[in-house]
Amino acid sequence: MTEDTIASEVLSASLGGAISASILYPLEVLKTRMQALDDDDEDKDKGMWEYAATLYDKQGAGVYFQGIETSAVQSAMEKAFYFFAYTVLKQMHGVITLQPSSSMGASTNLALGCLAEWAHLPITMPIDCLTTAIQTNTKKESAVALMLSILQKGDMYKGLQAYYVLCFKPALQYTVFEQVKKTVLKGRKNKSLTAGEAFLLGMVARAVATIAVFPFLRAKVVMQTRKKKPDADEVDATPPPSLMSMLWEMYQTDGIGGLYQGLGPELTRGVFSAALMLMIKEQINGGVKTVLYGNTTAVEETKAMRPMGSKKKKRAGVMQRDAT
């Protein structure tokens, strides 16, 4: 049984996501804070480590762990729903095309990955907004108060339009991972990567995906954290800018550097997070399959040997009959 199962994929992905997100959470806070800096903020031009030291001096070590529980839940749910949808879509594709999922090309993998990413957004997007609010909160409001504020303002899906492009990020990441993994495992009896292989491959895949879509990731954070500015003649706030106008504004103000503000901590956190998650997932996945289905490698080898054994017995029987 070399095909991935829904149970093994969901369990291993959710555990891997929660563990990796918790280990690297301080970097998550740092990258969100840097992405949310306004143009007139005095810390805007500081590097990653300089800004980290400034943040520590102002708010102490506790700021780097604000909302870690919410982030762990968000990551676990995102990965669980993503791999659930992705595995189901792969199996459906196999049924329709009458081909094993291992034979899928990169373009098919990318398309299924995008669909899987959109599948979990109705549930995980509000948690993402809450996590961002907790990480950028300077008034020491509780998570419950922030959640009620988000619900009251109707901001549960703020920044959703960025996902028209951001949906390609995990799809691109896992497509790169799966395609290279397929090449590495070709011809092996053991269809699992080692911890080191999964870690290194996960780093490369995440780096490629992050650099490709980062401007939209920063725009999403800015849209979630920017306060609405009231007009001079109106009590109501002006409508929030569109995604493309936000990107154009950042480019006009700071050039390419503005689009990639906060890339350092995002790349560092993202690369190690993806590498850890995929390494943990690969190791847990094998264990889950063994618990659920037993030693699949031994079963496959036994099945592969049966036809040969039966043919030998049949041939021996024919020879004995001819001899008589």
Side-chain angles (χ1 to χ4, degrees):
M1 186 180 295
T2 59
E3 295 294 316
D4 293 325
T5 64
I6 294 176
S8 64
E9 287 292 289
V10 170
L11 288 172
S12 59
S14 60
L15 287 172
I19 294 171
S20 62
S22 300
I23 292 173
L24 297 168
Y25 188 70
L27 282 171
E28 167 75 15
V29 174
L30 184 61
K31 69 95 180 175
T32 302
R33 287 288 190 119
M34 289 187 72
Q35 289 174 6
L37 290 174
D38 293 326
D39 294 334
D40 56 352
D41 198 297
E42 60 181 8
D43 297 323
K44 178 185 172 185
D45 296 324
K46 290 183 178 180
M48 180 172 70
W49 299 115
E50 186 181 2
Y51 181 74
T54 302
L55 194 59
Y56 175 79
D57 291 337
K58 289 180 179 179
Q59 301 185 42
V63 69
Y64 289 107
F65 298 95
Q66 284 180 186
I68 188 171
E69 307 92 343
T70 308
S71 178
V73 171
Q74 176 193 347
S75 183
M77 291 183 68
E78 280 184 356
K79 301 302 184 294
F81 280 113
Y82 178 89
F83 279 99
F84 174 80
Y86 182 67
T87 306
V88 169
L89 288 170
K90 278 204 304 183
Q91 292 181 354
M92 289 175 62
H93 176 270
V95 171
I96 294 171
T97 61
L98 301 177
Q99 293 180 348
S101 59
S102 57
S103 65
M104 283 197 313
S107 58
T108 304
N109 247 323
L110 192 62
L112 296 184
C114 290
L115 291 174
E117 178 70 4
W118 275 102
H120 71 73
L121 285 179
I123 298 173
T124 60
M125 188 72 187
I127 304 175
D128 179 57
C129 290
L130 176 60
T131 303
T132 302
I134 293 172
Q135 292 171 351
T136 57
N137 178 41
T138 57
K139 299 179 182 179
K140 295 185 178 181
E141 296 174 278
S142 66
V144 175
L146 290 171
M147 181 177 66
L148 291 175
S149 176
I150 290 172
L151 291 172
Q152 184 179 11
K153 294 176 182 177
D155 289 341
M156 292 182 295
Y157 295 96
K158 199 173 182 182
L160 179 64
Q161 54 185 303
Y163 275 95
Y164 289 120
V165 174
L166 288 180
C167 68
F168 286 97
K169 182 186 173 186
L172 181 59
Q173 175 185 324
Y174 296 126
T175 297
V176 172
F177 184 84
E178 288 296 328
Q179 294 303 308
V180 180
K181 174 185 172 183
K182 188 191 303 181
T183 303
V184 172
L185 296 180
K186 190 175 182 180
R188 284 192 191 177
K189 289 184 178 180
N190 183 9
K191 296 301 180 182
S192 296
L193 294 172
T194 65
E197 289 172 338
F199 189 85
L200 291 173
L201 184 51
M203 289 179 69
V204 173
R206 182 54 176 260
V208 171
T210 299
I211 293 172
V213 303
F214 184 80
F216 296 90
L217 186 62
R218 196 206 161 201
K220 184 205 73 167
V221 173
V222 172
M223 292 175 75
Q224 290 177 342
T225 56
R226 178 172 288 186
K227 306 296 182 184
K228 295 178 181 178
K229 298 178 181 179
D231 290 336
D233 301 327
E234 297 180 10
V235 177
D236 294 333
T238 57
S242 66
L243 175 67
M244 298 311 297
S245 63
M246 177 73 70
L247 289 169
W248 180 244
E249 178 187 330
M250 290 190 293
Y251 176 76
Q252 282 188 313
T253 305
D254 299 301
I256 296 295
L259 296 175
Y260 284 90
Q261 181 177 308
L263 176 63
E266 168 62 19
L267 200 56
T268 305
R269 181 208 67 84
V271 162
F272 281 101
S273 175
L276 276 173
M277 192 280 290
L278 290 169
M279 180 185 72
I280 295 169
K281 175 182 173 295
E282 285 292 317
Q283 299 306 304
I284 294 176
N285 199 4
V288 172
K289 285 182 178 179
T290 301
V291 171
L292 293 177
Y293 308 106
N295 191 339
T296 57
T297 303
V299 172
E300 288 173 0
E301 290 178 352
T302 302
K303 287 181 178 179
M305 292 173 64
R306 277 178 186 170
M308 294 177 62
S310 60
K311 285 180 180 178
K312 287 181 179 179
K313 288 180 181 179
K314 186 175 181 180
R315 191 178 301 165
V318 170
M319 291 176 65
Q320 186 175 5
R321 185 188 61 193
D322 292 343
T324 57

